[in-house]
């Protein structure tokens, strides 16, 4: 995925590639929330799924995440999975609320956490 100046996913992509890759992500959730309100093209949707998968993999595998990333925000609905990264990491998130492309990643992590 190349960076384009008009890329509507760019803020989220930068948070993943640069911040989350170092265990941080101060704007990760806000960036993903903004994207959730957009009507995406099929190409953008495929890119978003890939980015979401990267988030799930990082949350499941990194031991050096900033604690605030794993603090769930109950003010946001469970369907907005990116606000409930602690539950995802612990395997306590209801899998049926995840989009199908993330369930395949989450299920093995859930079994490992159990």
């Amino acid at each position: 995925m190349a960076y384009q100046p008009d890329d509507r996913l760019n803020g989220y992509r930068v948070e993943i590639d640069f911040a989350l890759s170092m265990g941080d992500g101060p704007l990760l959730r806000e960036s993903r929330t903004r994207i959730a309100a957009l009507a995406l093209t099929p190409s953008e949707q495929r890119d978003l799924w890939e980015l979401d998968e990267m988030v799930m993999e990082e949350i499941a595998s990194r031991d050096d995440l900033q604690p605030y990333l794993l603090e769930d925000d109950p003010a946001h609905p469970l369907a907005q999975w990116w606000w409930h990264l602690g539950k995802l990491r612990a395997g306590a998130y209801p899998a049926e609320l995840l989009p199908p492309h993330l369930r395949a990643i989450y299920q093995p992590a859930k079994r490992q956490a159990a």
Side-chain angles (χ1 to χ4, degrees):
M1 288 184 286
Y3 294 96
Q4 302 295 326
D6 61 345
D7 183 358
R8 298 187 301 165
L9 305 178
N10 197 45
Y12 188 47
R13 183 177 285 113
V14 167
E15 281 296 299
I16 295 165
D17 288 347
F18 299 107
L20 191 57
S21 68
M22 295 185 298
D24 208 351
L27 300 176
L28 180 80
R29 293 168 167 165
E30 290 80 2
S31 296
R32 185 59 178 83
T33 298
R34 181 187 54 78
I35 291 167
L38 299 175
L40 300 176
T41 66
S43 175
E44 288 173 325
Q45 188 63 58
R46 284 189 300 274
D47 287 349
L48 177 61
W49 289 346
E50 187 174 318
L51 292 168
D52 286 347
E53 290 169 2
M54 292 169 68
V55 170
M56 290 286 288
E57 290 168 356
E58 289 290 319
I59 294 301
S61 65
R62 291 192 70 90
D63 291 328
D64 63 345
L65 293 171
Q66 291 296 318
Y68 74 86
L69 283 173
L70 300 177
E71 292 174 4
D72 298 338
D73 188 340
H76 294 275
L78 278 174
Q80 292 181 347
W81 59 267
W82 54 92
W83 289 100
H84 304 281
L85 301 177
K87 281 182 177 50
L88 284 165
R89 183 175 176 111
Y93 187 89
E96 64 275 7
L97 295 180
L98 286 171
H101 70 283
L102 294 181
R103 283 185 214 144
I105 295 169
Y106 179 62
Q107 290 298 334
K110 186 173 182 176
R111 283 194 291 275
Q112 288 174 352

